[in-house]
Amino acid sequence: MPDEDGHPSREEMSLLTVLNALSDPLRYAVVGALLREPEGTARTCASFNLPVSKSTITHHFRILREAGLVQQVDRGNSRAATLRRADLDHRFPGLLDLIGANL
Amino acid sequence: MPDEDGHPSREEMSLLTVLNALSDPLRYAVVGALLREPEGTARTCASFNLPVSKSTITHHFRILREAGLVQQVDRGNSRAATLRRADLDHRFPGLLDLIGANL
């Protein structure tokens, strides 16, 4: 079962759900931006400067989190996200390389 | 430019558009079914027995065709689709393997 924040375990991830999460241009851009950072980098949702409302940003990060693409951690009054590289590379080998080659 | 039937060239394919096409369960199932066939197999749209109307099937195949996932060919009064394996493997190496491993 996903944890209390909706993060699926590695085994619970589904490629269809991951592809769905990646199929939105804003979410694809977030994953691409995290992919360009050093491994383990945590960025706040606000740092991506997405041109949409705060509630829409929350929605997009929920989709990313529930698909297993990002891990969100509380940071006082904001949340930061890291890319779940090791889990994604293990579960869907080659996927992040593909995205990295198509940014 | 895409050809008159909307098939993009290999170079015109975009990963985001391909992911979007794959993010629907019915379209993912069509690609998965073609992937299980011998290379070059052409199947009519009706052969997939999708539980939706004919116009919806036409819509889904248009999305697959315009993303570059399938090549559609006229066959008298129906159309058949083949998976563009070589183009996809060249443009997005590893993508079809990922799908094949997650059917």
Side-chain angles (χ1 to χ4, degrees), chain A residues 58-69:
Chain A
T58 301
H59 162 77
H60 284 309
F61 275 87
R62 182 172 60 77
I63 303 275
L64 289 171
R65 183 174 74 240
E66 292 182 355
L69 283 158

Side-chain angles (χ1 to χ4, degrees), chain A residues 7 18-19 34 36 41 52 59 76 86-87 89 91:
Chain A
H7 297 102
V18 166
L19 296 180
L34 287 171
R36 278 187 290 247
T41 299
V52 291
H59 162 77
D87 291 332
D89 284 340
R91 192 69 182 73

Side-chain angles (χ1 to χ4, degrees), chain A residues 15-16 19-20 22-23 25 28 91-93 95 98-99 102, chain B residues 15-16 19-20 22-23 25 28 91-93 95 98-99 102:
Chain A
L15 183 59
L16 185 54
L19 296 180
N20 195 279
L22 288 168
S23 70
Y28 188 90
R91 192 69 182 73
F92 308 116
L95 179 64
L98 261 180
I99 296 170
N102 288 276
Chain B
L15 183 59
L16 185 54
L19 295 180
N20 195 278
L22 288 169
S23 69
Y28 188 90
R91 192 68 182 74
F92 308 117
L95 179 64
L98 262 180
I99 296 169
N102 288 276

Side-chain angles (χ1 to χ4, degrees), chain A:
Chain A
M1 262 177 47
D3 70 11
E4 59 189 6
D5 290 321
H7 297 102
S9 69
R10 188 183 273 194
E11 291 71 28
E12 287 167 331
M13 293 179 184
S14 130
L15 183 59
L16 185 54
T17 307
V18 166
L19 296 180
N20 195 279
L22 288 168
S23 70
D24 176 90
L26 286 185
R27 296 194 296 263
Y28 188 90
V30 165
V31 171
L34 287 171
L35 202 48
R36 278 187 290 247
E37 304 277 4
E39 183 157 356
T41 299
R43 284 182 56 173
T44 63
C45 302
S47 75
F48 295 96
N49 295 314
L50 302 179
V52 291
S53 71
K54 195 170 171 184
S55 66
T56 302
I57 292 176
T58 301
H59 162 77
H60 284 309
F61 275 87
R62 182 172 60 77
I63 303 275
L64 289 171
R65 183 174 74 240
E66 292 182 355
L69 283 158
V70 306
Q71 178 87 29
Q72 277 185 287
V73 288
D74 282 328
R75 275 194 172 180
N77 57 0
S78 71
R79 298 184 103 181
T82 59
L83 189 61
R84 292 178 65 178
R85 277 182 212 238
D87 291 332
L88 291 163
D89 284 340
H90 179 269
R91 192 69 182 73
F92 308 116
L95 179 64
L96 292 180
D97 295 335
L98 261 180
I99 296 170
N102 288 276
L103 291 176

Side-chain angles (χ1 to χ4, degrees), chain B residues 11-12 24 27 33-34 37 39-40 43 47 49 54-55 66 68-69 74 80 87-88 90-91 100 103:
Chain B
E11 290 70 28
E12 287 168 330
D24 175 89
R27 295 193 297 261
L34 287 171
E37 304 276 6
E39 184 158 357
R43 283 183 55 173
S47 75
N49 293 314
K54 194 169 173 185
S55 67
E66 292 182 356
L69 283 158
D74 282 328
D87 291 332
L88 291 162
H90 178 269
R91 192 68 182 74
L103 290 177

